[in-house]
C-alpha cells in the first residue's frame, strides 16, 4: 500500500470497487474475458486472436501515453467503436457477482469504523451502478456507501474528471478534502491527485483493512 498527499482534513473517501473492495482473481478475470469473448463473436474472431489485438492496442496506448494504462471501456470505444452505452449493457448482462463473492465481515468492520469517524464513503467504478449495487450487496456493505458513481452516471470511463467531481459533489465534500482509493495508479489515482485529492494505492482488500490506521487521526 502507498499513499500520496493525504489532506490534513479528510471529509470523504472515494473507493474504486473491483480489485479494491474485494480480491478475487477469477472474477476479475471473468470481467475482462467475457466482454472480449462477446467482441470476438461480433468480429468473427477467435477469443485468442481478439486478446492479441487488444494486447497490441494496450501496448500502443502505453507507448503513446507515457506508459499509462487504458480502461477496458475506453479501449473498446477507442479501438473497436463499442460505445460506452453498449459497454454498460454488456456488463449488466454478463456480470453476476453473486457467483463469486460473499460477505466480508472484516471489510464491513473497516468501513463501519471509517464511517463512525465522520467520513462519508463513496464508490466510483467503471462498472454500471446496477453491477456496483449487486457487488456491494454480495460483500455485505451496500448500506455503508451512500454514494455510488458508475459508468452510467456520467457516461464516461475512468480516468475522467466528470465522475470524480460528481462523486465529490454527491458526497458533499470539496475535492481537496477527498481521498481516492484504488488498485491502479493510472486509472484510480493519477487524475484525482492532479485535481487536488489525496490518494491511496492498494493491492487488494487486504490493504483496505489497513486504511484506518494511515489516515490522519487514524481509527485503528
Amino acid at each position: 500500500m502507498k499513499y500520496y498527499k493525504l489532506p490534513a482534513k479528510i471529509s470523504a473517501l472515494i473507493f474504486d470497487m473491483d480489485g479494491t473492495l474485494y480480491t478475487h482473481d477469477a472474477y476479475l478475470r471473468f470481467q475482462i474475458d467475457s466482454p472480449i469473448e462477446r467482441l470476438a463473436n461480433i468480429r468473427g474472431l477467435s477469443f485468442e486472436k481478439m486478446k492479441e489485438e487488444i494486447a497490441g492496442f494496450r501496448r500502443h496506448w502505453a507507448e503513446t501515453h507515457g506508459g499509462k494504462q487504458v480502461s477496458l471501456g475506453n479501449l473498446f470505444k477507442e479501438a473497436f467503436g463499442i460505445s460506452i452505452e453498449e459497454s454498460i449493457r454488456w456488463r449488466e448482462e454478463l456480470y453476476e457477482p453473486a457467483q463469486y463473492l460473499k460477505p466480508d465481515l472484516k471489510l464491513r468492520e473497516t468501513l463501519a469504523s471509517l464511517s463512525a469517524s465522520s467520513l462519508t464513503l463513496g464508490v466510483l467504478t467503471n462498472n454500471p451502478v446496477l453491477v456496483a449495487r449487486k457487488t456491494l450487496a454480495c460483500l455485505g456493505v451496500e448500506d455503508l456507501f451512500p454514494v455510488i458513481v458508475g459508468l452510467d452516471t456520467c457516461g464516461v470511463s475512468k480516468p475522467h474528471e466528470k465522475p470524480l467531481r460528481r462523486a465529490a459533489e454527491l458526497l458533499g465534500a470539496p475535492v481537496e478534502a477527498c481521498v481516492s482509493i484504488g488498485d491502479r495508479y493510472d486509472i484510480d489515482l493519477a487524475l484525482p491527485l492532479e485535481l487536488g485529492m489525496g490518494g491511496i494505492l492498494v493491492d487488494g482488500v487486504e490493504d483496505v483493512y489497513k486504511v484506518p490506521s494511515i489516515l490522519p487521526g487514524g481509527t485503528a
Side-chain angles (χ1 to χ4, degrees), residues 17 22 92 131 139 171 185 204:
M17 185 174 68
Y22 67 86
E92 289 178 338
V131 175
L139 296 171
L171 288 163
Y185 184 89

PDB file of all heavy atoms in Angstrom, residues 17 22 92 131 139 171 185 204:
ATOM      1  N   MET A  17     -13.940  -0.070  -6.843  1.00  0.00           N
ATOM      2  CA  MET A  17     -14.620  -1.270  -6.350  1.00  0.00           C
ATOM      3  C   MET A  17     -13.856  -2.547  -6.680  1.00  0.00           C
ATOM      4  O   MET A  17     -13.343  -3.216  -5.783  1.00  0.00           O
ATOM      5  CB  MET A  17     -16.032  -1.342  -6.939  1.00  0.00           C
ATOM      6  CG  MET A  17     -16.865  -2.487  -6.386  1.00  0.00           C
ATOM      7  SD  MET A  17     -18.578  -2.441  -6.980  1.00  0.00           S
ATOM      8  CE  MET A  17     -18.344  -2.808  -8.733  1.00  0.00           C
ATOM      9  N   TYR A  22     -12.669  -5.941  -2.933  1.00  0.00           N
ATOM     10  CA  TYR A  22     -12.557  -7.396  -2.832  1.00  0.00           C
ATOM     11  C   TYR A  22     -11.358  -7.847  -3.650  1.00  0.00           C
ATOM     12  O   TYR A  22     -10.914  -7.146  -4.568  1.00  0.00           O
ATOM     13  CB  TYR A  22     -13.829  -8.103  -3.323  1.00  0.00           C
ATOM     14  CG  TYR A  22     -14.078  -7.959  -4.805  1.00  0.00           C
ATOM     15  CD1 TYR A  22     -13.508  -8.830  -5.731  1.00  0.00           C
ATOM     16  CD2 TYR A  22     -14.881  -6.925  -5.294  1.00  0.00           C
ATOM     17  CE1 TYR A  22     -13.727  -8.690  -7.079  1.00  0.00           C
ATOM     18  CE2 TYR A  22     -15.108  -6.773  -6.637  1.00  0.00           C
ATOM     19  CZ  TYR A  22     -14.533  -7.659  -7.537  1.00  0.00           C
ATOM     20  OH  TYR A  22     -14.745  -7.509  -8.890  1.00  0.00           O
ATOM     21  N   GLU A  92     -23.990  -5.192 -17.645  1.00  0.00           N
ATOM     22  CA  GLU A  92     -25.206  -5.510 -16.888  1.00  0.00           C
ATOM     23  C   GLU A  92     -25.706  -6.915 -17.223  1.00  0.00           C
ATOM     24  O   GLU A  92     -26.243  -7.611 -16.352  1.00  0.00           O
ATOM     25  CB  GLU A  92     -26.290  -4.474 -17.172  1.00  0.00           C
ATOM     26  CG  GLU A  92     -26.001  -3.110 -16.557  1.00  0.00           C
ATOM     27  CD  GLU A  92     -27.067  -2.081 -16.881  1.00  0.00           C
ATOM     28  OE1 GLU A  92     -27.787  -2.258 -17.886  1.00  0.00           O
ATOM     29  OE2 GLU A  92     -27.164  -1.085 -16.136  1.00  0.00           O
ATOM     30  N   VAL A 131     -24.478  -3.072 -11.402  1.00  0.00           N
ATOM     31  CA  VAL A 131     -23.464  -4.074 -11.054  1.00  0.00           C
ATOM     32  C   VAL A 131     -22.795  -3.711  -9.732  1.00  0.00           C
ATOM     33  O   VAL A 131     -22.521  -4.582  -8.899  1.00  0.00           O
ATOM     34  CB  VAL A 131     -22.420  -4.210 -12.180  1.00  0.00           C
ATOM     35  CG1 VAL A 131     -21.295  -5.159 -11.769  1.00  0.00           C
ATOM     36  CG2 VAL A 131     -23.080  -4.692 -13.470  1.00  0.00           C
ATOM     37  N   LEU A 139     -20.972  -8.347  -0.868  1.00  0.00           N
ATOM     38  CA  LEU A 139     -19.930  -8.148   0.141  1.00  0.00           C
ATOM     39  C   LEU A 139     -20.507  -7.778   1.504  1.00  0.00           C
ATOM     40  O   LEU A 139     -19.785  -7.757   2.503  1.00  0.00           O
ATOM     41  CB  LEU A 139     -18.955  -7.055  -0.318  1.00  0.00           C
ATOM     42  CG  LEU A 139     -18.139  -7.371  -1.577  1.00  0.00           C
ATOM     43  CD1 LEU A 139     -17.384  -6.128  -2.042  1.00  0.00           C
ATOM     44  CD2 LEU A 139     -17.179  -8.528  -1.339  1.00  0.00           C
ATOM     45  N   LEU A 171     -21.053  13.502  -2.422  1.00  0.00           N
ATOM     46  CA  LEU A 171     -20.571  13.263  -1.067  1.00  0.00           C
ATOM     47  C   LEU A 171     -20.591  14.531  -0.215  1.00  0.00           C
ATOM     48  O   LEU A 171     -20.366  14.465   0.999  1.00  0.00           O
ATOM     49  CB  LEU A 171     -19.148  12.687  -1.103  1.00  0.00           C
ATOM     50  CG  LEU A 171     -19.039  11.237  -1.585  1.00  0.00           C
ATOM     51  CD1 LEU A 171     -17.607  10.912  -1.979  1.00  0.00           C
ATOM     52  CD2 LEU A 171     -19.533  10.279  -0.518  1.00  0.00           C
ATOM     53  N   TYR A 185      -2.865   2.785 -10.295  1.00  0.00           N
ATOM     54  CA  TYR A 185      -2.448   4.188 -10.175  1.00  0.00           C
ATOM     55  C   TYR A 185      -2.974   5.026 -11.331  1.00  0.00           C
ATOM     56  O   TYR A 185      -3.561   6.101 -11.107  1.00  0.00           O
ATOM     57  CB  TYR A 185      -0.918   4.288 -10.103  1.00  0.00           C
ATOM     58  CG  TYR A 185      -0.444   5.706  -9.885  1.00  0.00           C
ATOM     59  CD1 TYR A 185      -0.278   6.219  -8.597  1.00  0.00           C
ATOM     60  CD2 TYR A 185      -0.182   6.545 -10.964  1.00  0.00           C
ATOM     61  CE1 TYR A 185       0.136   7.524  -8.390  1.00  0.00           C
ATOM     62  CE2 TYR A 185       0.227   7.856 -10.769  1.00  0.00           C
ATOM     63  CZ  TYR A 185       0.386   8.342  -9.491  1.00  0.00           C
ATOM     64  OH  TYR A 185       0.779   9.648  -9.295  1.00  0.00           O
ATOM     65  N   GLY A 204      -5.284  -4.718  -2.997  1.00  0.00           N
ATOM     66  CA  GLY A 204      -6.488  -5.514  -2.836  1.00  0.00           C
ATOM     67  C   GLY A 204      -7.147  -5.182  -1.513  1.00  0.00           C
ATOM     68  O   GLY A 204      -6.716  -4.276  -0.786  1.00  0.00           O
TER      69      GLY A 204
END
